[in-house]
Amino acid sequence: MPAYAVIGGQWGDEGKGKIIDYLARKASIVARYSGGNNAGHTVINDQGKFAFHLVPCGIAWENVMNVIGNGVVVDPNILIDEITKIKKADLPGKILISNKSHIVMPYHIELDQLEERSRGNTSIGTTGRGIGPAYVDKVARSGIRMDELLYPLKLQEKLAEIIEIKNNIIQKIYNGNPVSLENTVNSIFRWNNFLSPYIDEVNHLFEKTLNEDKNIILEGAQGSLLDIDHGTYPYVTSSNPTIGGAITGLGIPPKKITRNIGIYKAYCTRVGSGAFPTEIKGKIGEKIRQQAGEFGTTTGRGRRIGWFDSVAAKFSSNINGFDSIVITRLDTLDSWKEIKICTKYELDGKIIENFPVDHEKLSQCKPIYETLEGWNSSTFGISEYSKLPLKAKNYLSFIEKKLNVPISLISTGPKREEIIAIKDPIP
């Protein structure tokens, strides 16, 4: 009956794709529970290099069902393109889309981009993929679900009124170009033709799999510090990447989740606006960005670089209840002479050890660091803990103690096999 949640512990881009691909060898189902195609998971395995935006990362394993859950908002054009590439690459996994997941419509994308542009200097840093407006419509009970796509003639009637309302907003408030009803209706029929075989009710499958004592991996998108409720609001995503999102975004009972696995990069990155206490600015930050290839899978935007922040990391561990953690991108630190870890903040002249999610307070926090010696030797591709340099072990041990959670896996390169399994989180 075990389900295992895999959750980003920072601001996203922690390397969840590789870890989920690695763990999926022991799973019957990999189920994505939140976000949309604003998330990107990169997987490198025997079949090649793949960037997934909607399809879960178990797709490269035979007999694994990859479920897009009800908590996900789906751009059908992106999904069709992704499935087409998966078929071309002959990846063996199966795909199932929850009939309760919501659709990102063309007017959502238009509104997202217009709204972000109108914010000017106060822009949030949205990807402009229509994710936020799709969630807004979901909560407002005016969204369109995947099950409606199965009845295109009925949906066609509904769209006329919706698009008229959306175009009034687009034109009269933002002075934008109206969305074409005809083109949208044509898209509906094309989406129906391609995606109908994949759309179904999924909860009976979860129940059956858990009752048969088979493993389900719950795949998170983005990171905990971008959670709409628990993250650095308003510079957050529009869904719940934390453990609560896994429960509501799939309909898995909490007691069925055996372990929560947190993914942390060996340093920190953040994309877009928002407070980032340990950010490394200037030439050093840019050098690391280029060396590490820290550019977004979805947007291509350069990621902001920072030292590991144990204050923020412990906060995300506590709200998710991580049973073990995974450290990725350790090899990026190989040539750093000294490595800093933020252990406390200074705020208004006082030392604090708790993470303030209040954005104004966080933006005023000054990091207090402890400095560790770098190991100045390659860890790239190492698959045995005993072969790590002593100072790399010291660094990992320091993080482990600060978070008070054991490290189960360490990633030392982008490929599936470039990993150290201290204790596999899925027995």
Side-chain angles (χ1 to χ4, degrees):
M1 65 177 219
Y4 300 87
V6 179
I7 300 171
Q10 296 162 317
W11 283 278
D13 307 308
E14 300 95 350
K16 296 180 290 297
K18 174 192 169 170
I19 302 305
I20 293 165
D21 170 65
Y22 172 82
L23 295 173
R25 75 198 191 282
K26 294 186 175 181
S28 294
I29 296 174
V30 178
R32 167 85 176 269
Y33 63 80
S34 69
N37 62 295
N38 56 340
H41 292 166
T42 301
V43 170
I44 302 175
N45 51 37
D46 295 340
Q47 292 95 334
K49 180 178 180 179
F50 305 94
F52 300 123
H53 300 276
L54 288 166
V55 175
C57 296
I59 193 66
W61 291 96
E62 194 171 359
N63 299 321
V64 173
M65 179 63 77
N66 294 268
V67 177
I68 298 173
N70 60 273
V72 180
V73 291
V74 179
D75 183 328
N77 290 327
I78 300 298
L79 182 56
I80 289 170
D81 181 60
E82 203 161 296
I83 292 174
T84 301
K85 290 177 180 176
I86 286 168
K87 287 182 175 179
K88 188 176 179 180
D90 200 27
L91 297 182
K94 306 178 188 72
I95 298 170
L96 184 63
I97 309 165
S98 170
N99 61 339
K100 296 183 286 187
S101 60
H102 278 246
I103 299 175
V104 177
M105 298 296 292
Y107 48 79
H108 291 139
I109 298 171
E110 184 69 18
L111 282 168
D112 196 5
Q113 295 174 4
L114 289 169
E115 288 170 3
E116 180 73 349
R117 204 175 301 141
S118 72
R119 292 186 181 104
N121 294 332
T122 61
S123 63
I124 293 172
T126 172
T127 60
R129 265 54 174 186
I131 310 304
Y135 277 117
V136 168
D137 278 2
K138 176 180 179 177
V139 175
R141 292 164 291 184
S142 59
I144 296 172
R145 302 203 311 182
M146 275 290 175
D147 53 10
E148 295 181 80
L149 197 58
L150 300 176
Y151 309 97
L153 291 175
K154 188 172 182 180
L155 180 54
Q156 180 180 358
E157 296 176 7
K158 179 178 177 179
L159 274 174
E161 181 180 353
I162 291 175
I163 288 183
E164 182 181 359
I165 294 170
K166 298 298 183 183
N167 278 341
N168 277 332
I169 298 171
I170 289 169
Q171 291 178 284
K172 294 178 181 178
I173 295 179
Y174 296 110
N175 197 29
N177 297 317
V179 171
S180 167
L181 174 60
E182 182 181 356
N183 290 345
T184 305
V185 169
N186 289 339
S187 293
I188 290 293
F189 283 92
R190 182 170 62 85
W191 298 341
N192 166 271
N193 183 59
F194 191 103
L195 295 175
S196 289
Y198 300 98
I199 301 170
D200 203 352
E201 199 279 326
V202 302
N203 293 97
H204 66 281
L205 175 64
F206 293 149
E207 183 180 4
K208 180 176 183 290
T209 302
L210 292 169
N211 287 339
E212 291 175 352
D213 205 32
K214 296 177 180 177
N215 296 332
I216 300 177
I217 293 175
L218 316 182
E219 178 179 315
Q222 288 98 18
S224 297
L225 301 178
L226 295 177
D227 188 277
I228 186 69
D229 288 301
H230 303 291
T232 52
Y233 192 90
Y235 300 98
V236 292
T237 192
S238 302
S239 59
N240 294 105
T242 49
I243 188 61
I247 296 165
T248 59
L250 293 172
I252 300 278
K255 65 182 180 180
K256 299 291 186 181
I257 301 175
T258 301
R259 291 180 186 167
N260 297 336
I261 304 159
I263 315 296
Y264 292 92
K265 200 177 286 186
Y267 50 101
C268 283
T269 60
R270 180 167 192 167
V271 174
S273 304
F276 189 14
T278 66
E279 184 170 11
I280 305 169
K281 298 182 179 180
K283 292 182 180 179
I284 296 176
E286 181 59 31
K287 182 181 179 181
I288 296 169
R289 185 179 303 110
Q290 295 295 334
Q291 286 179 342
E294 287 290 0
F295 298 90
T297 304
T298 300
T299 64
R301 288 184 294 181
R303 298 175 184 138
R304 298 158 66 190
I305 309 293
W307 302 107
F308 190 90
D309 187 336
S310 71
V311 181
K314 190 167 186 177
F315 169 78
S316 65
S317 177
N318 288 342
I319 62 173
N320 287 294
F322 291 147
D323 298 291
S324 74
I325 60 174
V326 177
I327 302 296
T328 64
R329 300 300 295 265
L330 180 68
D331 56 294
T332 300
L333 308 183
D334 286 348
S335 61
W336 295 15
K337 292 181 180 180
E338 60 178 31
I339 304 170
K340 296 179 181 179
I341 295 182
C342 174
T343 58
K344 301 174 184 177
Y345 296 149
E346 180 185 336
L347 176 62
D348 297 329
K350 297 179 181 179
I351 306 300
I352 62 171
E353 297 186 37
N354 294 322
F355 184 75
V357 293
D358 181 295
H359 182 263
E360 289 303 316
K361 288 183 179 179
L362 186 62
S363 63
Q364 296 170 30
C365 284
K366 297 178 182 178
I368 297 174
Y369 293 112
E370 291 194 34
T371 302
L372 283 71
E373 285 187 69
W375 43 93
N376 200 30
S377 59
S378 178
T379 62
F380 184 81
I382 289 178
S383 57
E384 296 178 34
Y385 183 77
S386 61
K387 293 183 179 180
L388 284 177
L390 176 60
K391 291 175 183 177
K393 292 179 183 178
N394 291 341
Y395 182 72
L396 294 167
S397 179
F398 191 93
I399 291 174
E400 201 172 39
K401 289 176 182 176
K402 282 296 175 186
L403 272 59
N404 196 29
V405 182
I407 295 173
S408 53
L409 301 173
I410 303 161
S411 177
T412 58
K415 296 180 181 178
R416 181 189 286 165
E417 66 273 12
E418 293 168 340
I419 200 161
I420 298 169
I422 297 175
K423 185 178 181 181
D424 202 318
I426 300 181

